[in-house]
Amino acid sequence: MPNLGLPRGQLLIFLLQLTSLSVLQVYGIGINYSRDDFPADFVFGSGTSAYQVEGAPFEDGKTPSTWDIFTHDGYVNNGETGDIACDGYHKYKEDVKLMADTGLEAYRFSISWTRLIPNGRGPINPKGLQFYNNLINELITWGIQPHVTLFHGDLPQSLEDEYGGWLDKKILKDFVVYADACFREFGDRVMHWTTFNEINMLPMLGYDAGMMPPRRCSSFYGMNCTQGALDEPYRVAHNTLLAHASAAKLYKQKYKPVQHGFIGLNVLAFWFSPYTITTEDLLATQRANDFYVGWFVNPLVKGDYPDVIKKNAGKKIPSFTKTESLRLKGSFDFLGVNHYASGYVKDQTINPAVETRDLMADMAGLTHVLEYFKDVYGNPPVYIHENGLRTVRNGSMSEELNDAARVKYMRGFIGSVLDALRNGANTKGYFTWSFLDVFELLGGYDSAYGLHYVDLNDKDLKRYPKSSATWYSSFLKKRGIQSVGQGKDSVSELFHSHL
């Protein structure tokens, strides 16, 4: 908790005003719940993505994606790649059995565009088609809902090379053809489609900061990139939104009447609180929300970008035509939200500064994110697609398996989802990130988020359940009441350690 220059008593009052929760709720003390406290149709699951779990990057007809090239060029953790990852391409049956044993009700995964349609366009790859059919069928056999993401950052490198990928509107046609193939081949069994994972991070990290492929930068925030321009993040955001709207229109007109599924879009959402109660920090906080979330959700709900973004970006941001605006507005059945942490925002002349808060405050943050979507965007159906705690792999299996901090994190955040539900938020599901210790896109194999440990020193990459997997399994199988605050922390200890 930062020092805001307030006496301790006033600081506590300020905290309560920010959270609109009682002290006990802020710190998760004495809140008990079970699976039965959630609606019967509320779904609990876990997830991965294609590049992070499958491996086999050049096997059975698959061609390189931008992530294959990016990692092979040495940009992640001194040259680590997803060439093997968790070898999910070969071990999917074992993994689905593990999901069933854990009690997962749903599994969220992405399709590799270049595994299904090599080079980004042209005929479907029979081997790729067979793999995803087998995976989906295996999930359904075990009673696990498949929730499928079409694009999780791994663009066909051939399209990047040919016309610049997401920078060119040519990508719209290729993406819709790819989406059409997925809907046609898998839509009889897949009821939940997400067009883009963290659509807001592609322009920010790929075209502004240069931390992800295609490693382009704006002049303000770039990581020593040799290519890029100030307008590129806005052009990419524009094209991805139009690609989503076109794919959603296709699905709703051609497939939804027969398949009866749902289509949506995913964003990464922090919960931002003002660093101080000054007008400047309050405005900066709203500006942060608009740039992180409103940039993409406003067009889906209101048909246009937030005014503050249009004002700040000026000529750099494209405008929607009337037809595009109408196509965007309402082009989703649900919104997916990835949420990991919260932060404070302090006004600066260039961009909002974010300071990470403590874990207990973060737990309350997810409640606020869900209530923000309820209050600002008309309470659309929302799935928490990713929520998880990063730990550092240290080589000690015993320490990795005893992930008590992750158990505490999950207890708190699932409790915060329940709080939001009880406050009227239209939340439909919760997925942990991640089911296995996958190849992390920013951290390689140094970072771990998984419910299950993957032994990278074992040639068979054997999986081992962590304490978090055991806890989640117990919760999902309705084995007793879960207490958010259970553990050794006392009320006094929490007050002194976090205030």
Side-chain angles (χ1 to χ4, degrees):
M1 173 71 67
N3 182 353
L4 305 185
L6 298 173
R8 178 171 294 238
Q10 291 182 16
L11 183 60
L12 177 57
I13 292 171
F14 176 63
L15 173 66
L16 298 181
Q17 289 173 336
L18 286 180
T19 62
S20 301
L21 298 171
S22 70
V23 176
L24 296 186
Q25 285 176 306
V26 169
Y27 292 121
I29 302 165
I31 301 176
N32 297 318
Y33 62 85
S34 73
R35 175 64 180 90
D36 288 332
D37 287 308
F38 292 82
D41 62 351
F42 188 98
V43 65
F44 283 95
S46 190
T48 63
S49 82
Y51 185 75
Q52 296 177 265
V53 76
E54 287 179 5
F58 313 112
E59 190 171 332
D60 291 337
K62 183 185 178 300
T63 59
S65 74
T66 50
W67 266 101
D68 290 307
I69 301 302
F70 183 77
T71 58
H72 276 255
D73 284 345
Y75 291 121
V76 177
N77 209 26
N78 298 317
E80 290 181 343
T81 75
D83 284 3
I84 298 176
C86 301
D87 197 25
Y89 185 70
H90 300 106
K91 298 173 76 69
Y92 73 91
K93 284 191 176 183
E94 173 187 334
D95 289 338
V96 174
K97 174 64 164 56
L98 196 57
M99 295 173 204
D101 291 342
T102 304
L104 291 195
E105 300 162 4
Y107 175 56
R108 178 175 176 258
F109 64 97
S110 70
I111 290 174
S112 167
W113 188 338
T114 58
R115 194 179 297 283
L116 186 67
I117 304 178
N119 302 314
R121 66 165 68 94
I124 288 179
N125 174 21
K127 291 289 188 179
L129 178 65
Q130 181 182 19
F131 169 70
Y132 290 113
N133 270 324
N134 289 345
L135 173 59
I136 291 166
N137 290 341
E138 194 73 14
L139 289 166
I140 290 173
T141 296
W142 287 99
I144 300 170
Q145 295 178 17
H147 287 235
V148 175
T149 300
L150 294 175
F151 185 77
H152 201 111
D154 47 348
L155 182 73
Q157 183 64 40
S158 59
L159 302 185
E160 181 69 31
D161 294 339
E162 181 182 342
Y163 54 71
W166 293 110
L167 284 169
D168 196 301
K169 282 197 172 183
K170 292 177 183 177
I171 192 70
L172 304 185
K173 179 180 179 181
D174 287 332
F175 181 76
V176 171
V177 170
Y178 160 60
D180 190 24
C182 293
F183 300 150
R184 182 179 66 249
E185 299 295 341
F186 312 125
D188 58 331
R189 290 150 291 157
V190 175
M191 295 293 103
H192 296 85
W193 295 97
T194 303
T195 51
F196 290 86
N197 178 73
E198 294 186 357
I199 189 171
N200 48 344
M201 290 297 103
L202 178 62
M204 290 184 187
L205 298 182
Y207 294 83
D208 189 24
M211 297 170 64
M212 287 185 172
R215 199 169 171 264
R216 300 177 70 88
C217 299
S218 77
S219 61
F220 286 127
Y221 309 111
M223 304 287 287
N224 299 315
C225 299
T226 58
Q227 294 180 308
L230 286 175
D231 68 330
E232 288 189 357
Y234 297 101
R235 287 165 54 193
V236 168
H238 201 76
N239 288 338
T240 53
L241 279 166
L242 294 176
H244 159 79
S246 296
K249 179 183 178 182
L250 170 71
Y251 183 77
K252 290 188 174 186
Q253 290 183 348
K254 184 177 180 180
Y255 294 101
K256 189 179 178 71
V258 177
Q259 298 175 352
H260 309 294
F262 308 92
I263 191 164
L265 179 71
N266 174 282
V267 296
L268 175 67
F270 297 96
W271 175 247
F272 295 120
S273 296
Y275 194 75
T276 71
I277 56 176
T278 61
T279 300
E280 291 81 4
D281 284 0
L282 290 168
L283 290 174
T285 301
Q286 184 56 52
R287 190 163 64 247
N289 282 322
D290 283 334
F291 267 91
Y292 272 86
V293 174
W295 188 2
F296 294 88
V297 178
N298 264 54
L300 303 184
V301 176
K302 303 175 183 179
D304 200 3
Y305 297 117
D307 289 339
V308 69
I309 293 182
K310 292 192 291 183
K311 179 181 178 181
N312 284 19
K315 294 181 180 180
K316 295 191 294 292
I317 192 167
S319 298
F320 296 115
T321 66
K322 186 174 291 187
T323 299
E324 290 169 344
S325 180
L326 289 173
R327 182 174 294 179
L328 276 162
K329 191 174 181 179
S331 61
F332 65 97
D333 297 310
F334 65 86
L335 293 173
V337 171
N338 294 354
H339 175 80
Y340 290 88
S342 301
Y344 284 101
V345 175
K346 182 174 178 59
D347 180 64
Q348 291 185 349
T349 56
I350 297 178
N351 69 305
V354 178
E355 179 175 327
T356 302
R357 305 195 300 177
D358 61 84
L359 175 62
M360 294 300 178
D362 284 351
M363 292 176 183
L366 181 51
T367 301
H368 290 303
V369 166
L370 295 172
E371 292 182 347
Y372 185 85
F373 277 80
K374 178 187 72 172
D375 296 337
V376 176
Y377 297 116
N379 207 17
V382 170
Y383 287 87
I384 306 301
H385 273 160
E386 293 183 19
N387 178 242
L389 179 68
R390 175 185 180 270
T391 54
V392 178
R393 297 200 203 202
N394 59 17
S396 170
M397 184 184 297
S398 61
E399 291 184 22
E400 298 278 355
L401 297 182
N402 182 24
D403 59 341
R406 184 170 289 108
V407 173
K408 185 175 182 179
Y409 180 99
M410 292 172 61
R411 274 202 307 256
F413 275 97
I414 292 174
S416 73
V417 174
L418 183 58
D419 282 342
L421 276 170
R422 288 171 172 170
N423 289 336
N426 192 12
T427 314
K428 296 296 186 182
Y430 172 91
F431 292 73
T432 71
W433 183 266
S434 52
F435 185 66
L436 304 172
D437 282 343
V438 299
F439 172 82
E440 286 298 332
L441 297 182
L442 291 178
Y445 298 107
D446 281 353
S447 298
Y449 286 82
L451 299 176
H452 292 83
Y453 173 81
V454 178
D455 187 355
L456 300 177
N457 296 317
D458 185 320
K459 64 181 179 64
D460 293 322
L461 297 174
K462 188 171 181 180
R463 285 79 156 119
Y464 296 88
K466 302 179 186 178
S467 298
S468 55
T470 303
W471 179 87
Y472 200 35
S473 180
S474 176
F475 167 72
L476 294 175
K477 295 176 181 179
K478 304 180 182 181
R479 294 174 182 160
I481 302 295
Q482 306 300 330
S483 173
V484 175
Q486 70 188 55
K488 65 181 181 179
D489 294 322
S490 68
V491 175
S492 175
E493 287 171 338
L494 286 168
F495 265 64
H496 285 88
S497 63
H498 296 292
L499 293 180

